[in-house]
Amino acid sequence: MRERGLKLTKSLVIVMLDVCASRQDKAKAFALMNEAKLSGLRLEIQLYNSLLNVLAEAGDAQIFDELKKLKIDKEGLGLKPNIESYNLVLKGCLKMRDVENALVIYRELCDPQSPLAGPNAITYSTLFDLCALEKDVATATMLMDAIKGSHVPVTIHTHCRYLNVFVAAGDAKAVQLFDEIKRNGPAPDLDAYNIILRYYLSKKSPTTLTAFEEMKSNGIEPDIDTFNVALDYAAMTSDHNRSLRLFEELKTRGLSPDIETFNSLIKCFAQSGSAMVHKIFEEMAESKIAPDHITFSILMQHKAGCVSLSTALDQQLVQVDPHPNSPKQGAALPAGASSSGGYNRIGGGRPAGSPSAASSPLTLPAIGNTRNG
């Protein structure tokens, strides 16, 4: 830093540590902290928490040693970990799926002898997310009981993280919990509906669509994740018309389809191998979204789907990239264009003002001999 003429300040170090966290660059983070010490910068707990965040993002077990150093003030800086420090260690536990150490941290926070005020909402949300990964409804239930007996407010976010544990575990109690939220409050938000929709979808329940319509009637604007669940259900039930209506609705609402959206559409039409699959590829090109391995997997489950993929390859609507790690991977057609220069879009015609010239093909990762599928 000094060689570059930069004066280290607290704000600059925190920004640079945040960059290290995004890159999971532990070595540079420690080098930066060492340089900060040598420069005489006054070290505060906020700086150490930024370092802990680097280790948390990397899922690095060294985070436990760094917390211990803070607790015993090994460097004699007069610093002690605060609740953010502990929550960052829990974030690291989540990355590492380390339930045992997470519960050790939690019990330490709950200790009456702790100088801190105890766990907060972030603590419990992180623990619930860890329970969801492990499908551990028993621990989640224990934690919710603890929240209700504490000073921590139970917000809709808390309810959502708790509900998500039961959905991840496929536990039927998820429906009861959601009904309790609707009955007792706080009112369910978009996140709550998206979570329960995933549960209904996993059970192949028609309530998926009922809940989808209910949230809209309650004034909650669905996002692309909401529509993707509804599209998945339409594909599951081979409801072609509903798939197309949902796709048009999400565009009307100003949402941008993603690869999951298109994969759900393809899932609906792959078995018949209809011309609609070709139109979906054109729509993907217009949206500059390249098919992925899931797209291929869906198509290759059905003979007609393999034929559709082969046709798309023959017509150069899609093209296999022999170098999947090249910068061109996933390059898409210009918006609105197809390999034939046409605009046979799903549910609509050519967009106003769109060019009519033919375009270059999508570039895809290598997948083997799909033409013989």
Side-chain angles (χ1 to χ4, degrees):
M1 290 297 156
R2 284 173 290 185
E3 292 82 0
R4 299 178 187 175
L6 290 175
K7 180 182 178 181
L8 282 181
T9 64
K10 173 185 168 183
S11 297
L12 178 60
V13 173
I14 289 174
V15 168
M16 296 182 72
L17 285 171
D18 286 345
V19 173
C20 291
S22 68
R23 297 176 178 175
Q24 300 182 7
D25 194 337
K26 165 183 161 182
K28 284 189 178 179
F30 277 95
L32 181 60
M33 284 294 286
N34 188 54
E35 188 172 347
K37 293 175 189 175
L38 293 175
S39 72
L41 182 66
R42 182 171 177 270
L43 300 181
E44 301 175 8
I45 191 60
Q46 192 176 358
L47 286 173
Y48 275 93
N49 284 344
S50 294
L51 178 64
L52 290 176
N53 187 48
V54 176
L55 296 172
E57 287 290 344
D60 194 309
Q62 188 176 343
I63 197 169
F64 302 118
D65 294 330
E66 295 304 317
L67 178 64
K68 184 177 180 181
K69 288 178 185 177
L70 275 175
K71 288 192 290 186
I72 64 175
D73 193 15
K74 185 175 182 180
E75 297 186 27
L77 297 171
L79 299 178
K80 290 292 182 182
N82 58 17
I83 187 61
E84 183 184 1
S85 311
Y86 281 92
N87 284 339
L88 286 167
V89 176
L90 286 174
K91 178 181 175 181
C93 290
L94 178 62
K95 285 274 187 176
M96 294 179 276
R97 299 184 69 151
D98 188 341
V99 178
E100 183 179 351
N101 275 311
L103 292 177
V104 168
I105 295 295
Y106 172 68
R107 285 192 288 269
E108 188 174 330
L109 284 172
C110 292
D111 189 337
Q113 302 302 316
S114 170
L116 301 176
N120 63 11
I122 295 174
T123 309
Y124 284 108
S125 292
T126 307
L127 288 167
F128 283 141
D129 286 343
L130 183 54
C131 288
L133 283 177
E134 299 299 317
K135 302 179 181 180
D136 186 351
V137 297
T139 299
T141 301
M142 177 272 291
L143 291 169
M144 180 55 90
D145 289 341
I147 295 177
K148 291 176 179 178
S150 74
H151 66 282
V152 179
V154 183
T155 65
I156 186 57
H157 178 74
T158 310
H159 280 295
C160 286
R161 302 334 308 148
Y162 182 53
L163 175 64
N164 189 52
V165 179
F166 290 82
V167 172
D171 192 311
K173 190 180 177 183
V175 176
Q176 176 189 330
L177 292 174
F178 187 71
D179 287 342
E180 288 175 2
I181 294 171
K182 290 196 293 182
R183 185 169 57 252
N184 304 323
D189 60 4
L190 174 62
D191 191 24
Y193 271 102
N194 281 346
I195 291 169
I196 197 63
L197 281 170
R198 290 200 304 271
Y199 175 79
Y200 290 135
L201 177 67
S202 71
K203 302 302 180 183
K204 302 180 181 180
S205 170
T207 311
T208 304
L209 297 178
T210 305
F212 175 69
E213 295 300 329
E214 176 188 287
M215 69 173 290
K216 291 190 292 181
S217 67
N218 287 339
I220 299 173
E221 191 71 19
D223 64 6
I224 193 61
D225 292 331
T226 320
F227 275 98
N228 286 346
V229 173
L231 282 165
D232 266 342
Y233 183 77
M236 188 182 292
T237 55
S238 300
D239 192 336
H240 294 188
N241 290 333
R242 187 179 295 277
S243 286
L244 296 178
R245 288 199 305 272
L246 287 167
F247 188 70
E248 282 306 303
E249 182 183 347
L250 74 87
K251 290 192 294 181
T252 300
R253 290 177 179 269
L255 298 173
S256 299
D258 58 18
I259 185 59
E260 291 183 19
T261 311
F262 288 115
N263 282 344
S264 295
L265 280 170
I266 287 176
K267 196 183 300 179
C268 192
F269 294 97
Q271 188 169 359
S272 62
S274 67
M276 188 57 67
V277 174
H278 185 84
K279 292 181 182 180
I280 294 169
F281 275 128
E282 288 188 324
E283 191 84 25
M284 292 177 75
E286 181 179 329
S287 301
K288 293 183 171 62
I289 294 177
D292 62 6
H293 68 284
I294 296 176
T295 316
F296 296 130
S297 176
I298 293 168
L299 289 167
M300 293 170 69
Q301 288 177 33
H302 310 283
K303 183 177 180 180
C306 291
V307 172
S308 296
L309 178 57
S310 180
T311 301
L313 289 164
D314 287 338
Q315 294 180 0
Q316 295 189 333
L317 181 59
V318 295
Q319 178 176 303
V320 174
D321 183 0
H323 306 291
N325 294 321
S326 69
K328 292 184 179 180
Q329 179 182 351
L333 289 161
S338 70
S339 62
S340 61
Y343 289 84
N344 198 8
R345 304 170 70 232
I346 302 173
R350 174 179 170 178
S354 298
S356 59
S359 61
S360 57
L362 280 165
T363 305
L364 305 175
I367 58 167
N369 191 358
T370 55
R371 298 193 186 203
N372 294 332

